[in-house]
Amino acid sequence: MAASVLPEDAGQALLVGRVWDIGTGGPRVVAVSGTEVFDLHRVAGTVSELLELPDPAAAVRAALLDPDLAEPRWVTSDVVSASLEGDTTRPHLLAPVDLQVIKACGVTFVDSMIERVIEERCAGDAGRAAEMRELVGRALGGSIGAVRPGSPEAAEAKRVLIAEGLWSQYLEVGIGPDPEVFTKAPVLSSVGLGAGIGIPAFSSWNNPEPELVLIVTSRGEMVGATLGNDVNLRDVEGRSALLLGKAKDNNASSALGPLIRLFDGAFTLDTLREEEILLGVEGPDGYRLEGRNTVARISRPFEELVAATHGRHHQYPDGFALLTGTLFAPTQDRDEPGQGFTHKLGDVVTIRSRHLGALINTVGASEELPEWTFGLRQLFGYLEAQRLQPAGRAGRR
């Protein structure tokens, strides 16, 4: 079971994250190495602290060789099994970030940009999607896909689209000089492998968004990556872009995991530029949907997205996780012809890539999923309690 969740080359990967420790009643920073999960609490109390070290990859490698710094606490297959079964009475994986702000970039792929335009033209009405998709597709043709955002060619495309009455705020951030960057979720609110992902009752047109997530330090350095589901409410955002917060930030609407893979000699940022992120949705009604997010088709380089998020204009002292957008935009009909795709409660969503593993979650109602109760006060209280504990090994659990 662990092999189905970890990267294909897990034996060569430096994987870190968080496990909820039943014995101490709180989150532990961990490294996953082979069949064992190592407690890194003596190295760092939070993932943010670990990643702020001068060379986090070297620090993890050294810790795994030093029994005074890292000890095998759990069996990988047991932790993965508990996570996938949603068994919170056993040690299980959490979202692999903690103090980092969850940021997201939107409209970074042409295909999904066009779908955002369609949402806007439909004013959130899924029944009009097929008609508007044909209209917008005819007007745009295939030429806009080769336009470099912010270029003179993009400015000319903007002029033509305005003349045709088809200019959109989504086209502005898709091919204009500035990318869309927004805050997806509060600190500590994201869910991890096996947890329910939330769709609120007020949405009837929504979809998963499988995305590559860059892990960035307070210095603006990209040090690793994970997978994410930037759950999207198409009907809400389609009514007005000013409802972005309502569309994006709800209980359990941000899923990250299964683990952070740190950059090292064999796994680099360039590896990710060619990553294929696969999506699978299996519904309780027997419905199946497959999709693909080809990162190589992103319209802006990673460095540009990070620079738009972090710099002299905005700092993140605890680092941030940056969802980089998705090529995938579901148009396949699920129920009525022309209605397109929308989630049903009980959908199992799998987001998978060769180098980052698999993030698996089941769709539930935001109002009925476990409430987010472990915030910053609780984390600081836990860390202080652990600091006051006498030195000694926690032992395998």
Side-chain angles (χ1 to χ4, degrees):
M1 184 175 290
S4 67
V5 167
L6 298 181
E8 292 181 10
D9 58 344
Q12 290 75 51
L14 275 177
L15 302 170
V16 298
R18 294 192 304 149
V19 163
W20 184 268
D21 180 23
I22 301 301
T24 61
R28 311 290 280 202
V29 180
V30 301
V32 175
S33 180
T35 61
E36 294 185 310
V37 179
F38 287 77
D39 190 341
L40 299 182
H41 195 73
R42 293 186 180 88
V43 179
T46 66
V47 173
S48 173
E49 180 184 356
L50 175 68
L51 300 184
E52 290 297 318
L53 296 174
D55 188 342
V60 171
R61 281 195 295 265
L64 291 175
L65 297 174
D66 187 344
D68 290 329
L69 291 178
E71 55 180 311
R73 289 281 309 283
W74 304 280
V75 176
T76 304
S77 58
D78 291 345
V79 173
V80 170
S81 174
S83 304
L84 293 176
E85 293 170 13
D87 186 353
T88 57
T89 67
R90 296 155 55 196
H92 55 278
L93 288 170
L94 304 170
V97 300
D98 39 43
L99 298 182
Q100 293 91 343
V101 177
I102 311 302
K103 305 293 289 188
C105 292
V107 203
T108 53
F109 292 83
V110 170
D111 301 62
S112 59
M113 174 184 71
I114 293 172
E115 284 301 307
R116 298 292 86 76
V117 174
I118 290 165
E119 287 171 14
E120 182 183 43
R121 296 279 163 173
C122 291
D125 180 0
R128 299 177 57 203
E131 172 193 350
M132 294 308 303
R133 191 171 293 115
E134 182 180 356
L135 174 63
V136 173
R138 276 201 313 269
L140 295 179
S143 60
I144 201 168
V147 173
R148 174 76 174 89
S151 67
E153 293 78 12
E156 175 60 17
K158 177 177 180 177
R159 186 191 66 78
V160 171
L161 289 164
I162 290 175
E164 292 291 327
L166 285 172
W167 187 248
S168 162
Q169 57 203 341
Y170 294 106
L171 291 166
E172 176 64 46
V173 294
I175 64 174
D178 300 309
E180 177 188 23
V181 183
F182 60 92
T183 299
K184 165 64 179 178
V187 169
L188 287 175
S189 68
S190 297
V191 299
L193 176 72
I197 49 173
I199 301 293
F202 53 74
S203 175
S204 59
W205 186 23
N206 42 70
N207 64 269
E209 291 194 347
E211 301 192 18
L212 172 70
V213 184
L214 297 171
I215 306 300
V216 189
T217 69
S218 65
R219 302 178 297 276
E221 298 172 358
M222 293 171 273
V223 294
T226 190
L227 297 171
N229 187 350
D230 179 15
V231 178
N232 184 41
L233 309 184
R234 301 189 72 177
D235 47 359
V236 175
E237 187 177 352
R239 283 159 47 204
S240 171
L242 296 180
L243 293 173
L244 180 66
K246 186 179 182 69
K248 289 294 188 179
D249 183 8
N250 296 285
N251 185 36
S253 65
S254 169
L256 301 173
L259 297 156
I260 294 169
R261 182 166 183 175
L262 298 177
F263 295 139
D264 57 13
F267 175 69
T268 68
L269 193 61
D270 285 337
T271 308
L272 293 179
R273 298 188 202 276
E274 301 297 324
E275 194 79 343
E276 294 277 341
I277 299 176
L278 306 179
L279 170 76
V281 177
E282 297 185 16
D285 54 354
Y287 175 88
R288 295 180 64 89
L289 173 72
E290 294 183 351
R292 181 183 300 268
N293 183 12
T294 304
V295 178
R297 291 175 61 184
I298 198 167
S299 57
R300 301 180 193 264
F302 298 144
E303 292 84 354
E304 182 177 337
L305 299 179
V306 170
T309 308
H310 171 278
R312 289 296 303 157
H313 65 290
H314 205 315
Q315 297 78 47
Y316 296 88
D318 299 301
F320 59 98
L322 183 63
L323 289 95
T324 56
T326 185
L327 172 69
F328 173 74
T331 59
Q332 174 182 319
D333 289 333
R334 182 167 194 172
D335 294 315
E336 297 297 324
Q339 293 288 315
F341 170 86
T342 195
H343 269 308
K344 293 183 184 292
L345 300 185
D347 281 351
V348 177
V349 180
T350 300
I351 298 171
R352 181 187 306 277
S353 85
R354 176 185 174 190
H355 294 101
L356 299 174
L359 173 63
I360 305 170
N361 303 95
T362 301
V363 174
S366 292
E367 297 84 355
E368 298 173 7
L369 290 175
E371 293 184 353
W372 171 37
T373 58
F374 194 89
L376 289 169
R377 286 189 296 109
Q378 288 75 19
L379 175 61
F380 293 159
Y382 172 76
L383 294 174
E384 177 64 12
Q386 293 305 296
R387 187 185 68 82
L388 297 175
Q389 289 292 319
R393 296 178 184 271
R396 183 185 293 271
R397 289 181 170 83

